[in-house]
Amino acid sequence: MKNLTTPISDEDINGLKVGDQITISGTIYTGRDAALPQLVELIENDEVPFDLKGSAIMHTAFSDAGIAPTTSSKVEIESSIPVLSKNGVKIHIGKGRLSDESVNSLDENNSIFVITPPVAALLTSKVLEKKCVLFENEGMEAMYELKVKEIPGIVAVQGKKRI
C-alpha cells in the first residue's frame, strides 16, 4: 500500500504503476456531470478560486448519504480530464474505462486515473471535513473541498498502461 498526501508531486506519480493499491489523504475536490464542465470554463477564463496544482478530483456528488464514485466515462466528466490534467490535477478518482484520448492526456500531463470501491459507507467514513467551494446552485452536484484520510484506490491508468 502506498500512502499519498495532497498536493501530489510528479515524483509521487512517477513512483506508481498500474495495479498499485494506494490511499489518498489531504484535500481532494469533488465534481461530476454538472460541476466539471463549469470548472473547465473557469480554467479557460483563469477564474479558478483555488490552486489545482497537485490536486485530486473524485468524480462524485456529495450528499448527506455520503460519497461514491460515478462513471468517469460520461461525456461531461471525461471531456474535463485533459483540461484538468493540463492545469495541475494529478489524480482523477472514479470508476469505469477511459477512452484512448483520455489515457493519452493523462500520460502527457503525468496524471493518473484511480478507481476506488463504490462503497459509500467506507468512503464517507474517510471524510474529515467538507466545504462547498463552487457551484452551490447545483445542490449535491456542487463542487466540494474535502479533507480526507486514507481514501483507498487502485491505480487503473498510469502512463499509457491501464488495467
Side-chain angles (χ1 to χ4, degrees):
M1 183 75 67
K2 297 184 179 188
N3 302 307
L4 303 174
T5 301
T6 59
I8 306 298
S9 69
D10 282 331
E11 292 76 27
D12 292 330
I13 298 299
N14 293 338
L16 298 172
K17 64 185 185 310
V18 169
D20 280 348
Q21 294 181 27
I22 65 170
T23 64
I24 303 166
S25 298
T27 299
I28 67 171
Y29 295 95
T30 66
R32 54 176 286 170
D33 313 46
L36 292 178
Q38 292 180 78
L39 179 60
V40 167
E41 191 173 314
L42 289 179
I43 289 169
E44 291 168 350
N45 293 321
D46 198 27
E47 296 176 347
V48 179
F50 46 85
D51 190 3
L52 289 171
K53 188 174 183 198
S55 65
I57 291 184
M58 180 179 276
H59 304 151
T60 187
F62 197 102
S63 72
D64 292 336
I67 60 172
T70 194
T71 303
S72 300
S73 60
K74 294 178 185 176
V75 171
E76 299 86 356
I77 295 172
E78 191 165 5
S79 65
S80 75
I81 290 174
V83 174
L84 294 174
S85 296
K86 184 178 179 183
N87 284 276
V89 175
K90 289 295 181 187
I91 299 177
H92 302 265
I93 307 164
K95 67 179 186 178
R97 183 169 174 83
L98 298 179
S99 69
D100 290 343
E101 179 183 335
S102 292
V103 169
N104 290 337
S105 73
L106 291 169
D107 181 47
E108 290 169 10
N109 295 292
N110 199 30
S111 298
I112 61 173
F113 178 60
V114 172
I115 56 174
T116 191
V119 183
L122 169 66
L123 296 176
T124 303
S125 74
K126 304 295 186 179
V127 176
L128 306 175
E129 297 175 30
K130 72 172 183 172
K131 174 175 76 173
C132 184
V133 292
L134 287 173
F135 320 122
E136 187 173 2
N137 61 313
E138 298 294 351
M140 69 180 209
E141 286 202 27
M143 189 163 204
Y144 284 85
E145 177 182 277
L146 307 178
K147 302 292 184 196
V148 300
K149 183 171 176 146
E150 300 178 348
I151 291 279
I154 299 170
V155 177
V157 174
Q158 201 283 339
K160 292 192 180 189
K161 296 179 182 167
R162 61 172 113 188
I163 288 181

